[in-house]
Amino acid sequence: MIRNGWPSATSTATSILAVVLQVVALFRSLRLEDNDEGEYRKTVHWFVASAVVLLIGFFVALVESGLE
């Protein structure tokens, strides 16, 4: 049995989610509608959300490495 398996699963899941959010932000930025200020703000929100999720995953992985 894996000891302290939840941090590993959490950091992996948040990393995967961050990559998905990054891809969504990339595709949104390539759309012609992104030239509109409102759409641009939504794209920036997607990007910021992906960065926050990535940092959460990083800190969970950091805590996990400290537990071993």
Side-chain angles (χ1 to χ4, degrees), residues 8 21 31 41 51-52 56:
S8 177
L21 291 173
R31 293 179 19 189
R41 286 178 193 244
V52 168
I56 290 170

Side-chain angles (χ1 to χ4, degrees), residues 8-35:
S8 177
T10 304
S11 64
T12 301
T14 54
S15 296
I16 291 170
L17 180 60
V19 168
V20 169
L21 291 173
Q22 286 277 338
V23 169
V24 170
L26 173 66
F27 278 110
R28 286 188 58 85
S29 70
L30 295 175
R31 293 179 19 189
L32 291 177
E33 293 86 7
D34 198 52
N35 290 337

